[in-house]
Amino acid sequence: MNLITLCARAIASMRYNKTRSFLTTLGIIIGVTTIIAIVALLKGLDRTIDQEFSSLGTKTIYVQKLELEIGLRRHRNFEEISKRPDLTVADAAAISKLPTVRAAVPNIHRDLGTLTRGVYEADECLLTGIGEGGDLTGNWVVSEGRFITRYDQQHRNMVCVIGSYVAGNLFGPGEEPLGQTLEVEGRRYTVVGVLEEKGASFGHPQDNQIYVPVETYIKYYSLPEGRASVFRGIRIEVLPEEKVPVEAAVADVEELLRLRHGLRYYEDNDFGLNTQESMLSSLNTIRSVLWLVMVGVAGISLLVGGIGIMNIMLVSVAERTREIGIRKAVGASDADVMVQFLSEAVALSSVGGVVGIFLGLAAGAFVSAITPLQAAAPWWTVVLGVGFSAAVGIIFGIYPARKASGLNPIEAIRYE
Amino acid sequence: MAARKKTPAARSPVDGLIELVGVSKVYNPDRVPVHALADVDLQIAAGEYVAIMGPSGSGKSTLMHILGCLDTPTSGSYSLRGQEVSRYTGKKLAHIRNRDVGFVFQRFNLLPRLTAAENVELPLLYARAPADRRREVVADLLAKVGLSDRGHHRPNELSGGEVQRVAIARALANDPAIILADEPTGNLDSKSEDDLMELLDSLNAAGRTLVVVTHEDSVARHAKRVVLLHDGRVV
């Protein structure tokens, strides 16, 4: 009997008892759906994180008072961390002189809330003092005008570079922001540049920035102290020279800062060097937990589904004892009967697998539709789903199939 | 077929299609032995029409199972078409059942899930016949038993007589040496019985070897030879 005939017979046999077949495949459906859906979610997570990081600048090193981690939050003593020395503009200047470093840019910001300009309003604006080169480290493209320059720093110029959201909301249609004055907390800045739109990163808007020279910022605003300094103090964004590996630049910056902070060799760093890599490493913990969940749920439901298939196949063998006898009487060998029942088990589990694949893909599409996560299952999950379900059918189908093929034809024919 | 060529030259001098010599069948040999067949000698030539009769428990069914290669004798020899099949096992017996023997049972002959045509097709499937040949043979056989228009019906849509005709068509599928029928008319009214026996007679008239197990004289009367069994012995 060729494969097509075999499949056709197996499917016909399934359709003979539709409800039972459906209930039997439920475990497989759940298992395969879980596999596909979780892989889709993980891939979506990866893709989303890649996008978020690419908008940050993949090579940028963030020098901060604390080591940042995404996700699992270790218990940390913020009191201790707040006593660490603040990072300074001088630190940034020193770092920028390292041969492995292309730019080291101090960055400090404050929330402005809603900003108004005449009849126009923009919510949740940020005022950020930034060094020259901040467009490089922040991965910004200046669409009009220029970024903050060293000249602006030296003279504490009253100039600003604004994000697309600020430009779009505070200036009317057809109004040219360049050269206009923007009043922020009673001080008037001249707009010298407008940035290209970048979108949100990790749920935070980025186009609500008003960048001013960091020296200008420090002149007017006192630096945060105590616990506030941990997150809101000056941080330094370091961009390594091209072709210099991030790790090499990290090592140089670390050595320099330890020196400047007068740390002994046995003392830990009193600053954080946060890179995409270091933040991702904690994310990998979440990812492996998700994988474990997937393997667990999928494994258990495939096991339960397999046992269900074995059970129903045993019932089927018992019900069809006479059929098996007749088949043997007309010339079916043990192997023929074995293959027949095995193919029915595999058909059950494979149909469950295919339904599971569609449900899993649908779950991914649903998540993509209602969340920013671009969940999408790669092609190999489909192969995985089919493979797993077929394997379950074979593994759990062997015992009933052997039982069927081993029946004595005489007893099987007498059976009623 | 290599296996057949190797068969020793010690063939029966008679044109014995079937030759049983000293065949015994003992069930339960270790505890309470039941001698279903004891020292049975039986020759059936090609083209014969034999009825096997006897009261229940006389060993009719056991003899038929051995003749049909569903079972093997405990001792003695059985040669079918010159092959010594009494020591065959598993796959070889299945092959013989497929090619050399056609069964017609008393009841529940057909697979209820399959149509009449699919039932007739079964032995061809197990013989690995190609699809076009299967279609052709099935159509021929259904025509031969007068059921060309019933091929797509399932057994529960057929009358008892029609079911038995389909069973006969199926028994003929691989053009076997012998047709074994076990009480083929056991469940039929007399009209259907007559029709069925007429069909069997016509098969024999065309040269087919028939062995019918029955306890009804009306059936046995059609046969040209009657073998009577009593307590596992030919009398």
Side-chain angles (χ1 to χ4, degrees):
Chain A
M1 231 182 285
N2 63 32
L3 205 64
I4 296 165
T5 324
L6 214 56
C7 291
R9 302 266 151 150
I11 286 165
S13 164
M14 274 179 71
R15 290 179 52 190
Y16 193 78
N17 220 327
K18 291 194 193 79
T19 313
R20 193 161 90 177
S21 301
F22 168 70
L23 291 175
T24 308
T25 53
L26 213 50
I28 306 288
I29 292 176
I30 292 170
V32 173
T33 305
T34 312
I35 295 178
I36 306 275
I38 292 190
V39 172
L41 284 182
L42 284 173
K43 283 285 152 187
L45 198 65
D46 285 357
R47 198 173 305 177
T48 310
I49 287 166
D50 282 351
Q51 283 168 2
E52 303 287 352
F53 273 107
S54 69
S55 74
L56 287 181
T58 49
K59 289 184 77 180
T60 306
I61 304 161
Y62 296 86
V63 187
Q64 282 163 287
K65 258 180 129 167
L66 86 165
E67 298 85 353
L68 271 189
E69 282 176 353
I70 301 173
L72 306 178
R73 189 169 285 178
R74 244 184 283 154
H75 190 73
R76 318 188 56 171
N77 189 340
F78 285 100
E79 215 52 58
E80 282 298 312
I81 291 170
S82 68
K83 284 180 193 144
R84 290 173 166 186
D86 289 322
L87 293 159
T88 63
V89 175
D91 287 330
I95 292 168
S96 70
K97 292 199 179 82
L98 286 169
T100 49
V101 169
R102 183 171 171 201
V105 180
N107 176 314
I108 180 165
H109 70 271
R110 56 189 282 117
D111 295 322
L112 294 173
T114 302
L115 203 60
T116 56
R117 179 177 173 273
V119 294
Y120 299 115
E121 281 191 6
D123 296 328
E124 292 179 46
C125 291
L126 281 181
L127 182 69
T128 302
I130 198 159
E132 74 261 23
D135 50 342
L136 295 177
T137 56
N139 214 20
W140 287 109
V141 176
V142 180
S143 58
E144 293 170 61
R146 61 174 176 83
F147 203 71
I148 308 287
T149 61
R150 178 168 302 186
Y151 183 82
D152 293 326
Q153 306 289 358
Q154 285 164 350
H155 296 269
R156 297 184 170 84
N157 281 343
M158 299 300 286
V159 295
C160 68
V161 177
I162 56 177
S164 61
Y165 166 79
V166 179
N169 282 278
L170 290 186
F171 295 89
E175 201 178 354
E176 176 56 59
L178 286 188
Q180 302 266 17
T181 307
L182 188 60
E183 190 176 316
V184 178
E185 297 190 323
R187 295 182 189 87
R188 295 159 67 84
Y189 300 88
T190 305
V191 178
V192 294
V194 177
L195 300 171
E196 225 168 61
E197 187 176 342
K198 209 151 98 166
S201 167
F202 295 104
H204 290 292
Q206 300 180 97
D207 298 315
N208 56 350
Q209 291 281 3
I210 299 165
Y211 284 115
V212 299
V214 67
E215 296 288 3
T216 310
Y217 184 101
I218 290 171
K219 179 178 167 189
Y220 292 118
Y221 297 101
S222 55
L223 296 174
E225 287 172 13
R227 293 189 71 134
S229 70
V230 174
F231 288 105
R232 319 232 75 178
I234 289 180
R235 72 168 192 223
I236 303 168
E237 298 172 359
V238 180
L239 186 68
E241 272 298 350
E242 274 180 66
K243 289 178 185 160
V244 170
V246 178
E247 307 79 55
V250 166
D252 283 358
V253 173
E254 183 178 14
E255 201 182 328
L256 179 70
L257 282 179
R258 285 182 68 90
L259 217 64
R260 288 178 68 87
H261 288 182
L263 294 175
R264 307 287 184 103
Y265 68 92
Y266 52 83
E267 287 178 304
D268 289 334
N269 286 350
D270 56 1
F271 50 87
L273 293 169
N274 302 310
T275 61
Q276 179 173 337
E277 286 300 307
S278 74
M279 288 190 254
L280 275 181
S281 73
S282 48
L283 207 66
N284 282 333
T285 321
I286 302 178
R287 200 176 313 196
S288 45
V289 169
L290 268 175
W291 272 104
L292 275 179
V293 169
M294 178 198 88
V295 171
V297 174
I300 290 171
S301 43
L302 287 180
L303 180 72
V304 171
I307 293 170
I309 285 180
M310 180 154 74
N311 184 35
I312 233 56
M313 288 311 294
L314 285 173
V315 170
S316 175
V317 169
E319 282 175 351
R320 290 156 71 188
T321 299
R322 195 173 166 89
E323 170 186 331
I324 295 163
I326 290 173
R327 284 179 184 276
K328 287 194 159 189
V330 301
S333 65
D334 289 1
D336 287 328
V337 175
M338 173 105 185
V339 166
Q340 181 197 342
F341 279 85
L342 203 53
S343 68
E344 285 182 20
V346 172
L348 273 176
S349 65
S350 300
V351 167
V354 170
V355 174
I357 285 166
F358 279 111
L359 286 181
L361 293 177
F366 180 70
V367 168
S368 300
I370 63 164
T371 70
L373 214 58
Q374 288 305 303
W379 63 270
W380 56 263
T381 54
V382 173
V383 179
L384 193 77
V386 172
F388 259 131
S389 50
V392 165
I394 290 171
I395 291 166
F396 290 91
I398 279 180
Y399 176 64
R402 283 187 65 95
K403 210 165 169 163
S405 70
L407 283 177
N408 179 342
I410 299 173
E411 282 164 33
I413 289 166
R414 283 208 195 110
Y415 187 92
E416 276 165 28
Chain B
M1 256 231 217
R4 256 181 221 184
K5 278 180 200 149
K6 275 188 213 158
T7 314
R11 275 198 173 196
S12 162
V14 200
D15 184 19
L17 180 66
I18 282 177
E19 220 179 311
L20 300 185
V21 179
V23 165
S24 298
K25 182 69 188 180
V26 183
Y27 291 113
N28 234 345
D30 302 327
R31 282 172 288 169
V32 193
V34 178
H35 294 267
L37 288 180
D39 200 22
V40 171
D41 296 334
L42 179 64
Q43 273 101 35
I44 297 173
E48 271 203 88
Y49 191 166
V50 179
I52 297 175
M53 294 193 74
S56 54
S58 61
K60 295 193 304 279
S61 294
T62 306
L63 180 58
M64 193 185 96
H65 291 150
I66 288 175
L67 287 177
C69 292
L70 281 168
D71 206 351
T72 51
T74 312
S75 64
S77 85
Y78 171 25
S79 104
L80 172 65
R81 262 185 181 169
Q83 312 170 75
E84 178 57 48
V85 297
S86 53
R87 297 290 171 262
Y88 278 10
T89 52
K91 204 178 165 124
K92 278 183 152 180
L93 286 176
H95 187 262
I96 293 199
R97 290 197 294 269
N98 187 226
R99 305 298 175 105
D100 297 332
V101 179
F103 279 104
V104 180
F105 299 107
Q106 180 180 3
R107 295 194 294 154
F108 311 119
N109 255 304
L110 304 185
L111 301 194
R113 299 179 180 203
L114 304 186
T115 64
E118 285 168 339
N119 267 287
V120 175
E121 191 187 11
L122 266 189
L124 295 157
L125 275 176
Y126 290 121
R128 271 71 174 168
D132 47 348
R133 181 171 147 68
R134 296 203 302 261
R135 243 190 323 274
E136 195 183 310
V137 172
V138 168
D140 277 359
L141 290 173
L142 283 175
K144 195 170 192 172
V145 300
L147 291 173
S148 289
D149 54 334
R150 309 290 273 165
H152 294 290
H153 291 256
R154 290 186 198 281
N156 59 7
E157 298 157 349
L158 300 174
S159 73
E162 285 171 330
V163 166
Q164 294 306 78
R165 283 161 177 274
V166 174
I168 289 171
R170 187 179 65 193
L172 291 168
N174 283 326
D175 195 18
I178 177 170
I179 300 280
L180 294 173
D182 187 3
E183 306 273 14
T185 59
N187 277 336
L188 301 182
D189 58 78
S190 57
K191 171 75 174 75
S192 303
E193 178 179 322
D194 291 345
D195 289 349
L196 195 76
M197 290 318 294
E198 202 176 297
L199 178 59
L200 287 175
D201 292 349
S202 73
L203 290 178
N204 178 248
R208 188 78 55 186
T209 315
L210 292 184
V211 176
V212 181
V213 174
T214 185
H215 59 258
E216 287 174 61
D217 291 332
S218 61
V219 172
R221 213 176 297 130
H222 290 259
K224 292 167 185 155
R225 174 153 75 107
V226 175
V227 174
L228 207 59
L229 279 180
H230 195 83
D231 285 343
R233 291 174 193 282
V234 180
V235 291

